Structures are given as C-alpha cells and as structure tokens.
Amino acid sequence: MSATFLRSIFDPKELPSDGVPEIALIGRSNVGKSSLINALTEKKELAKTSSTPGKTQSLNYFEIDKRYYLVDMPGYGFAKSSKTARGQWAGLIDQYFADRQVLRGVGILLDARHIGLDNDNLIMEWLSGLDYPWFIVLTKVDKVKQQDISAHERHLKKEFERAEVVFKTSSKDGKGIASLRAYLKNQIALPEFATSE
Ligand code: GTP
Ligand code: MG
C-alpha cells in the first residue's frame, strides 16, 4: 500500500473535487484512528498520533495506492473540548456527509474496551440513516480478552444491522489489519452507489 499525506482541510469548501473515491474514518478522540491509518499503510508516522485526545482537528487526506483517499477525521467526545470546538466539529462533519458522492464507505472505530458508549451509539444510529455504506472497526483488541471481543461483535451485529462488517483490529500487533485493507480495496473498486436524493 503506497501512501502519502495530501492535505488538511478545515473548511468544507476546500474538499477535493477531483472525483477520487474516498473512505472516511470516524470515532471518539483517542480511539486510534490515526494509528490505524499508520498500521494500514505500514508507515509509522504518516498520521500524527498522541496519547492526549484531540490530536487531529481537521479532515486529513491521505492518498493511497494513487487510487483513493483515506480521510482521518477529528475525534468526538473529547471531555475537555469547548462548546465552540464541539460546534466546529459538528459543522465540519455535517457538511462533509451532506453530499459526498465520492464517499465509498465510512468506518466507525470503537475502542474494544468500551463498547456501548452513548456518543458512539448516536453516531451509528445517524450513519444508519445515511446512504453511505459503513462498517465497524474495533480497535485496541490487544487489550481485551477474545471472549469479550466476540460478545461485543455479536451485540453490535444485532444492534446495528446496517453495518456491513465488524473488523477486530490492533494497530499495535497488526491483528485484523490485512482483512480491513482487503475490504477497503474492494470497497473502492465498487461503482458509485445511488443516493436517494
Ligand atoms: P484523535 O486524533 O485525538 O481523535 O485520536 P485518534 O483516534 O487519532 O487516536 P491515536 O491514533 O492518536 O491513538 C491514541 C492512543 O491510543 C495512542 O497513545 C496510541 O498509541 C494508542 N493506540 C492506538 N491504537 C492502539 C492499539 O491498537 N493498541 C494499543 N494498545 N494502543 C493503541
Ligand atoms: Mg488522530
């Protein structure tokens, strides 16, 4: 997988309009979005990571295999974020998802240690109401017992039927990364899906 950083976008008006297909990664602050991009691309410092939540504040575009973009989104649910910051996050995200024809999939990342958080559930309900294909990526499975992961997976599949797949990943030990990579490649090759508008 070749990968280069393209650019950071703070204003929806600056979104690429080159028709290149893309996959967006969304999730709470600190869930491991940037780390996942580094694991997928096998580049340790492509996306900036931090143990302090709130590291990514813009939509960060990465060009993959000269074929598609991976979009690293700013995290939500960061306790210390101000009301203004939360408003900015919602504005950027809302406008991004309003009409993004090139979007071939949305991955929501869930920390395998903390399943069932209110803000994650809200986002998944909201995603279920949109037309984009979406999937779940459990992160940090290296920190959780296999039986707990299986229970989470069963619960999520039952609760969120619109989610196409549940991936179980660890950016630390590489678990599940290859199958996610293969899925993304396949997703990008799909023709543009019809939106209901
Ligand atoms: P924001 O940019 O703040 O939204 O966070 P993010 O979702 O991009 O998280 P990031 O990738 O920066 O990772 C947050 C912390 O979790 C870092 O300290 C990572 O090293 C750690 N981390 C990420 N993925 C894993 C994983 O699979 N296993 C373990 N053990 N730690 C991980
Ligand atoms: Mg990040």
Side-chain angles (χ1 to χ4, degrees), residues 30-35 49-50 54-56 75 140 142-143 171:
N30 221 36
V31 69
K33 298 175 293 298
S34 302
S35 302
T49 66
S50 167
K55 179 71 186 167
T56 311
K140 311 192 188 185
D142 56 281
K143 294 201 170 187
S171 300

Side-chain angles (χ1 to χ4, degrees), residues 23 40 68 70 135 180-188:
I23 302 270
L40 283 167
Y68 71 96
L70 263 182
F135 55 95
L180 175 56
R181 205 183 276 136
Y183 170 83
L184 296 181
K185 198 172 171 188
N186 187 54
Q187 208 57 30
I188 285 301

